[in-house]
Amino acid sequence: EDNARVRSGTVAGLIRGDLVDRLGGTIGNAREFAESLTIAPFLPLRDDDLGSILRLRLQSLSDAVPGAPWDDLHVTSAAVAAGVALSKSRPGSGGGGARALDGNALVSAAEAAGRAAASSSPPPGDGRPAAFRVDADPGGTHAVFSWCRSVEDGGAVELVCEEASRSAL
Protein backbone atom coordinates (compact mmCIF):
# COMPACT_ATOMS: atom_id res chain seq x y z
CA GLU A 1 0.00 0.00 0.00
CA ASP A 2 1.13 3.59 -0.68
CA ASN A 3 0.83 4.41 3.01
CA ALA A 4 3.43 1.80 4.02
CA ARG A 5 6.29 4.23 3.45
CA VAL A 6 4.48 6.98 5.36
CA ARG A 7 3.74 4.66 8.30
CA SER A 8 7.35 4.37 9.42
CA GLY A 9 6.49 3.42 13.02
CA THR A 10 7.55 6.81 14.37
CA VAL A 11 5.01 9.13 15.92
CA ALA A 12 5.32 11.52 12.97
CA GLY A 13 4.99 8.62 10.50
CA LEU A 14 1.83 7.40 12.20
CA ILE A 15 0.31 10.89 12.11
CA ARG A 16 1.17 11.26 8.42
CA GLY A 17 -0.39 7.86 7.68
CA ASP A 18 -3.57 8.86 9.49
CA LEU A 19 -3.71 12.10 7.47
CA VAL A 20 -3.41 10.15 4.22
CA ASP A 21 -6.27 7.88 5.32
CA ARG A 22 -8.50 10.81 6.29
CA LEU A 23 -7.70 13.11 3.37
CA GLY A 24 -7.35 10.49 0.65
CA GLY A 25 -10.70 11.22 -0.99
CA THR A 26 -10.59 15.01 -0.64
CA ILE A 27 -7.06 15.91 -1.76
CA GLY A 28 -5.61 14.71 -5.07
CA ASN A 29 -2.27 13.49 -3.69
CA ALA A 30 -2.85 13.11 0.04
CA ARG A 31 0.38 11.11 0.55
CA GLU A 32 2.54 13.85 -1.01
CA PHE A 33 0.69 16.49 1.02
CA ALA A 34 1.18 14.54 4.28
CA GLU A 35 4.90 14.03 3.58
CA SER A 36 5.37 17.77 2.98
CA LEU A 37 4.13 18.65 6.48
CA THR A 38 6.34 19.14 9.50
CA ILE A 39 4.92 17.03 12.31
CA ALA A 40 5.82 17.99 15.89
CA PRO A 41 4.33 15.33 18.15
CA PHE A 42 3.74 16.06 21.82
CA LEU A 43 2.00 14.37 24.76
CA PRO A 44 1.83 11.50 25.26
CA LEU A 45 4.94 9.89 23.82
CA ARG A 46 5.47 6.15 23.87
CA ASP A 47 8.30 4.67 25.92
CA ASP A 48 10.40 4.04 22.82
CA ASP A 49 9.97 7.68 21.73
CA LEU A 50 11.03 8.91 25.18
CA GLY A 51 13.91 6.41 25.08
CA SER A 52 15.14 7.77 21.74
CA ILE A 53 15.06 11.33 23.04
CA LEU A 54 16.80 10.33 26.29
CA ARG A 55 19.50 8.37 24.41
CA LEU A 56 20.22 11.42 22.22
CA ARG A 57 20.42 13.69 25.28
CA LEU A 58 22.86 11.32 26.96
CA GLN A 59 24.96 10.85 23.82
CA SER A 60 25.25 14.62 23.43
CA LEU A 61 27.23 14.57 26.68
CA SER A 62 30.44 14.15 24.65
CA ASP A 63 29.74 17.53 23.03
CA ALA A 64 28.82 19.12 26.37
CA VAL A 65 32.05 18.07 28.13
CA PRO A 66 34.99 20.08 26.75
CA GLY A 67 38.09 17.92 26.34
CA ALA A 68 36.19 14.69 27.00
CA PRO A 69 38.90 12.05 27.51
CA TRP A 70 36.99 9.31 25.67
CA ASP A 71 36.59 8.47 22.00
CA ASP A 72 32.95 7.43 22.30
CA LEU A 73 30.11 7.47 24.79
CA HIS A 74 28.08 4.27 25.12
CA VAL A 75 24.56 4.43 26.53
CA THR A 76 23.14 1.01 27.42
CA SER A 77 19.53 -0.07 27.01
CA ALA A 78 19.34 -0.55 30.78
CA ALA A 79 20.28 3.10 31.30
CA VAL A 80 17.63 4.26 28.82
CA ALA A 81 14.95 2.06 30.42
CA ALA A 82 15.83 3.38 33.91
CA GLY A 83 15.76 6.98 32.67
CA VAL A 84 12.38 6.54 30.97
CA ALA A 85 10.94 4.92 34.12
CA LEU A 86 12.23 7.85 36.22
CA SER A 87 10.68 10.39 33.85
CA LYS A 88 7.30 8.71 33.84
CA SER A 89 7.19 8.47 37.63
CA ARG A 90 8.02 12.17 38.19
CA PRO A 91 5.11 14.22 39.54
CA GLY A 92 3.83 16.56 36.86
CA SER A 93 5.41 14.55 34.06
CA GLY A 94 2.14 14.70 32.17
CA GLY A 95 2.14 10.99 31.47
CA GLY A 96 5.26 10.79 29.39
CA GLY A 97 5.81 13.91 27.29
CA ALA A 98 9.32 15.00 26.31
CA ARG A 99 9.20 17.63 29.09
CA ALA A 100 9.22 14.72 31.53
CA LEU A 101 12.89 14.28 30.56
CA ASP A 102 13.75 17.78 31.80
CA GLY A 103 15.59 17.45 35.10
CA ASN A 104 15.91 13.68 34.63
CA ALA A 105 18.12 12.28 37.41
CA LEU A 106 20.00 10.00 34.98
CA VAL A 107 20.87 12.91 32.67
CA SER A 108 21.99 15.03 35.64
CA ALA A 109 24.10 12.18 37.05
CA ALA A 110 25.66 11.50 33.62
CA GLU A 111 26.55 15.17 33.17
CA ALA A 112 28.20 15.27 36.61
CA ALA A 113 30.06 11.98 36.01
CA GLY A 114 31.20 13.18 32.58
CA ARG A 115 32.57 16.44 34.01
CA ALA A 116 34.29 14.54 36.83
CA ALA A 117 35.76 12.06 34.33
CA ALA A 118 37.05 14.89 32.13
CA SER A 119 38.78 16.57 35.07
CA SER A 120 40.36 13.38 36.42
CA SER A 121 42.75 10.93 34.87
CA PRO A 122 41.37 7.86 33.15
CA PRO A 123 42.41 4.51 34.61
CA PRO A 124 45.93 3.35 33.75
CA GLY A 125 46.42 1.47 30.53
CA ASP A 126 47.83 1.93 27.07
CA GLY A 127 46.39 5.04 25.58
CA ARG A 128 43.09 6.76 25.83
CA PRO A 129 39.96 4.81 26.84
CA ALA A 130 37.79 3.77 23.92
CA ALA A 131 34.58 4.80 25.65
CA PHE A 132 32.80 6.12 28.68
CA ARG A 133 29.72 4.01 29.37
CA VAL A 134 26.45 5.14 30.94
CA ASP A 135 24.59 2.15 32.41
CA ALA A 136 22.12 1.31 35.17
CA ASP A 137 22.17 -1.46 37.73
CA PRO A 138 19.64 -4.30 37.26
CA GLY A 139 17.10 -2.68 39.61
CA GLY A 140 17.39 0.71 37.90
CA THR A 141 18.17 2.36 41.24
CA HIS A 142 21.74 3.47 40.42
CA ALA A 143 23.43 4.93 37.37
CA VAL A 144 26.76 3.21 36.72
CA PHE A 145 29.56 4.97 34.84
CA SER A 146 32.52 3.02 33.49
CA TRP A 147 35.72 3.50 31.53
CA CYS A 148 35.90 1.04 28.65
CA ARG A 149 38.76 -0.14 26.46
CA SER A 150 38.82 -2.22 23.32
CA VAL A 151 40.75 -5.43 23.92
CA GLU A 152 41.67 -7.94 21.25
CA ASP A 153 41.10 -11.54 22.25
CA GLY A 154 41.90 -14.17 19.64
CA GLY A 155 41.09 -11.83 16.75
CA ALA A 156 37.81 -10.63 18.26
CA VAL A 157 37.62 -7.12 19.70
CA GLU A 158 35.82 -6.90 23.00
CA LEU A 159 34.89 -3.87 25.08
CA VAL A 160 36.17 -4.33 28.64
CA CYS A 161 34.82 -1.85 31.20
CA GLU A 162 35.90 -0.79 34.68
CA GLU A 163 33.42 1.00 36.92
CA ALA A 164 34.44 4.60 37.59
CA SER A 165 31.48 5.76 39.69
CA ARG A 166 27.83 5.23 40.48
CA SER A 167 25.05 7.52 41.49
CA ALA A 168 21.71 6.84 43.18
CA LEU A 169 18.71 7.56 41.01
Side-chain angles (χ1 to χ4, degrees), residues 91-114:
S93 68
R99 289 240 182 248
L101 296 173
D102 293 344
N104 183 283
L106 178 63
V107 174
S108 299
E111 288 170 349

Side-chain angles (χ1 to χ4, degrees), residues 47-48 50-52 54-55 58 75-89 101 104 106 134-142 169:
D47 287 0
D48 59 334
L50 283 173
S52 295
L54 181 62
R55 183 177 294 279
L58 289 168
V75 179
T76 67
S77 296
V80 171
V84 168
L86 282 169
S87 293
K88 290 176 68 177
S89 67
L101 296 173
N104 183 283
L106 178 63
V134 178
D135 199 359
D137 65 359
T141 59
H142 287 83
L169 299 173

Side-chain angles (χ1 to χ4, degrees), residues 62 65 67-74 113-125 127-135 144-151 158-166:
S62 286
V65 175
W70 55 77
D71 292 330
D72 197 11
L73 185 92
H74 288 271
R115 282 191 298 277
S119 66
S120 66
S121 301
R128 180 177 157 133
F132 191 66
R133 183 173 69 182
V134 178
D135 199 359
V144 181
F145 306 99
S146 305
W147 288 110
C148 302
R149 297 184 184 284
S150 296
V151 176
E158 179 183 337
L159 199 61
V160 176
C161 299
E162 177 184 324
E163 186 176 317
S165 65
R166 65 177 45 225

